Amino acid sequence: MFFERPDSGERAILVHIELSSDKDSEDPRELEELALSAGADPVDFLTGSRAEPSPKFFLGAGKVEELSALVQQHQAELVIFNHALSPAQERNLEREIKCRVLDRTGLILDIFAQRARTHEGKLQVELAQLEHMSTRLVRGWTHLERQKGGIGLRGPGETQLETDRRLLRARIKSIQKRLEKVRTQREQGRRARRRAEVPTVALVGYTNAGKSTLFNRMTEASVYAADQLFATLDPTLRRIELSDVGPAILADTVGFIRHLPHKLVESFRATLQETVEATLLLHVIDAYDEERQDHIDQVHDVLQEIGADEVPVLQVYNKIDLLPGQEPRVDRDEDGVAQRVWVSAQNGLGTDLLMDAIRERLSGDMFHDTLELMPDQGQFRAQLYAQGAVLTERVDDEGRIQLEVRMPMRDIRQLLSRLGIPAERYLPPLPQPDEVAHG
């Protein structure tokens, strides 16, 4: 990795400014949680309000002086802004207050760098860091010279900055190539699952909603789960067995956060592809969180950004053990379809209801009925057995075979078509699309 992070526990001043020009501002409490998750030690919080950011410092002159005094007073090593700063604003602030400055995107990238555990996760984080840092190169990356050896690498008359940029471009290209290989391997795995008709259920939700705890409860796995932001970064896949459905893949994914930096969404596209191509999304929601509706909206925005907003969703309201008198239950729509399940992943309350609801939602497009076959339909019977679709069989006194069959509706339609058997003999008619009036 290019980047060296100082030891955790740095004394940090947090800065949050309410901007009247910003209709969707960040949450100051979330900044504190992010700072703690990164291992910082917040010692003070500077707040204020402005009509719009100052181009030079983001803050006004008075606030810059106030910030400088706080840095001196606390001997702070870091100032963290709850906003996106331009490279020039970061440089100007650092020069003025004599302290390292980090914006919200840089902070989230740092947390991701600490949390990534797999080779793929580390590559994705490094790519996002490099792309974010490339705009800030004018600071001079002296540690690149230490790690890559500046001597002998620069051409005649080439400045350190140009060398750094060239090294940076080469490293970005190398990472992109390696990630492309990972994406190809993932895509092959997904294709194999699609061919085998194995549904994928992906857990999504705001960071720290309890996805990994729920994942562990459902799969009896031991995925890292902690009460902190972005505890899980790397996608984890586990096979689960669902009665009436068969095997399914459960995927745990990275937590979302408001205004998730675009570079991260781009870098984690391989991971998030599990979400886009899932059969069903479990949107895990912290039922105890006062901001839960806002977080639901933020998750929906990210799903829209990655193109997963069309995937069917089952909402899972987690942490009901923190809500007095709240019992596990399933909320259904007017058609009786499960929409919401109330559970506690921590102590297992309601997970049986959740598994039932998942089973219901996945088996919606399944054929489950008793077929009556005549003695001369041996080929049809053999094909049903070959596909593992026969649950029970009995023969009546007249030699007619009654098979209890369960299989995907699409597969039985294809089988009937292949054998030249009219579908209407065994299946309900396909729903007709509404007639569209042409004006």
Side-chain angles (χ1 to χ4, degrees):
M1 288 283 283
F2 272 157
F3 304 101
E4 302 169 65
R5 268 191 328 278
D7 293 335
S8 61
E10 291 175 282
R11 287 186 299 282
I13 310 284
L14 308 184
V15 180
H16 176 83
I17 304 296
E18 289 290 340
L19 300 169
S20 48
S21 58
D22 190 356
K23 298 288 176 282
D24 188 15
S25 65
E26 310 297 355
D27 181 353
R29 287 172 306 176
E30 193 168 79
L31 176 64
E32 192 168 358
E33 282 182 52
L34 285 168
L36 290 167
S37 289
D41 174 19
V43 290
D44 214 327
F45 212 129
L46 179 68
T47 57
S49 56
R50 283 181 67 84
E52 52 187 31
S54 136
K56 188 174 182 184
F57 293 117
F58 192 90
L59 307 171
K63 281 289 177 194
V64 173
E65 283 179 28
E66 201 180 326
L67 181 57
S68 188
L70 286 174
V71 168
Q72 296 292 323
Q73 178 191 332
H74 295 286
Q75 293 294 292
E77 300 149 283
L78 180 63
V79 171
I80 304 173
F81 276 71
N82 201 18
H83 311 274
L85 299 179
S86 71
Q89 285 168 337
E90 271 188 27
R91 284 196 306 276
N92 294 338
L93 281 163
E94 286 184 344
R95 201 176 295 126
E96 196 70 22
I97 64 177
K98 310 287 189 292
C99 182
R100 206 154 54 85
V101 172
L102 200 59
D103 70 354
R104 181 184 164 87
T105 303
L107 177 63
I108 292 174
L109 283 169
D110 188 86
I111 296 170
F112 272 48
Q114 292 180 52
R115 301 279 190 272
R117 284 174 170 74
T118 63
H119 176 62
E120 179 194 356
K122 287 173 182 171
L123 284 177
Q124 288 172 322
V125 172
E126 187 178 354
L127 178 62
Q129 279 186 315
L130 289 169
E131 291 180 332
H132 177 67
M133 290 292 191
S134 63
T135 58
R136 288 151 167 78
L137 261 182
V138 19
R139 288 176 172 179
W141 284 14
T142 53
H143 61 284
L144 275 185
E145 193 174 2
R146 284 202 308 279
Q147 292 194 5
K148 291 290 181 185
I151 296 169
L153 283 178
R154 56 175 83 87
E158 190 173 23
T159 66
Q160 174 70 48
L161 183 58
E162 286 163 346
T163 304
D164 290 349
R165 283 198 173 123
R166 190 160 49 77
L167 288 170
L168 189 66
R169 281 196 300 272
R171 180 67 178 157
I172 286 175
K173 204 172 285 183
S174 157
I175 292 174
Q176 284 171 335
K177 201 177 288 181
R178 285 155 76 184
L179 277 174
E180 197 49 53
K181 197 173 170 186
V182 173
R183 287 188 186 113
T184 306
Q185 288 165 348
R186 277 192 181 284
E187 182 50 39
Q188 284 168 351
R190 276 193 289 269
R191 271 204 302 270
R193 293 205 300 271
R194 281 198 295 270
R195 276 198 303 273
E197 291 290 336
V198 178
T200 301
V201 180
L203 294 163
V204 298
Y206 207 76
T207 185
N208 210 25
K211 293 185 300 302
S212 296
T213 308
L214 184 63
F215 181 88
N216 289 342
R217 177 71 61 179
M218 293 169 71
T219 61
E220 296 176 358
S222 54
V223 173
Y224 179 67
D227 185 17
Q228 56 185 198
L229 303 186
F230 302 120
T232 305
L233 276 192
D234 304 306
T236 312
L237 307 180
R238 290 285 183 280
R239 183 186 172 107
I240 57 174
E241 288 291 331
L242 297 167
S243 59
D244 290 347
V245 174
I249 298 295
L250 192 65
D252 191 12
T253 61
V254 60
F256 299 158
I257 195 167
R258 82 172 61 227
H259 304 153
L260 189 65
H262 188 70
K263 288 289 180 210
L264 274 180
V265 175
E266 277 301 308
S267 302
F268 276 77
R269 197 161 286 282
T271 302
L272 295 169
Q273 202 63 25
E274 292 295 347
T275 306
V276 179
E277 301 199 7
T279 318
L280 177 68
L281 297 181
L282 296 188
H283 179 179
V284 184
I285 298 157
D286 182 346
Y288 187 65
D289 194 336
E290 295 169 4
E291 307 274 322
R292 76 183 187 198
Q293 189 51 53
D294 184 41
H295 292 174
I296 290 169
D297 296 340
Q298 296 293 335
V299 169
H300 187 259
D301 289 348
V302 178
L303 289 175
Q304 233 172 355
E305 188 176 347
I306 64 174
D309 50 325
E310 296 297 317
V311 182
V313 175
L314 175 62
Q315 291 186 328
V316 183
Y317 279 74
N318 187 26
K319 306 188 185 180
I320 62 167
D321 50 307
L322 303 176
L323 296 171
Q326 181 68 57
E327 292 295 320
R329 71 169 195 270
V330 180
D331 297 341
R332 299 175 181 278
D333 63 14
E334 58 274 14
D335 298 320
V337 178
Q339 298 294 321
R340 230 169 278 111
V341 187
W342 297 73
V343 306
S344 167
Q346 192 65 46
N347 57 27
L349 278 174
T351 46
D352 53 338
L353 294 177
L354 175 59
M355 295 302 263
D356 288 344
I358 294 170
R359 198 158 39 239
E360 266 180 49
R361 292 291 296 264
L362 290 181
S363 63
D365 201 25
M366 296 288 285
F367 173 81
H368 185 185
D369 207 347
T370 300
L371 303 181
E372 190 171 84
L373 276 60
M374 301 309 288
D376 61 352
Q377 288 183 287
Q379 191 185 2
F380 187 18
R381 175 181 173 276
Q383 289 286 334
L384 289 170
Y385 267 102
Q387 296 202 24
V390 179
L391 301 179
T392 62
E393 175 178 356
R394 66 187 185 83
V395 182
D396 67 14
D397 298 339
E398 296 173 26
R400 287 179 298 216
I401 306 160
Q402 292 181 338
L403 299 176
E404 186 189 354
V405 170
R406 180 176 178 79
M407 65 192 299
M409 187 67 81
R410 185 176 60 183
D411 288 1
I412 191 165
R413 285 190 184 281
Q414 285 174 349
L415 179 57
L416 290 169
S417 168
R418 203 162 58 238
L419 297 174
I421 302 170
E424 56 271 19
R425 184 166 163 186
Y426 293 109
L427 303 179
L430 283 168
Q432 295 301 308
D434 295 336
E435 288 186 12
V436 180
H438 297 284

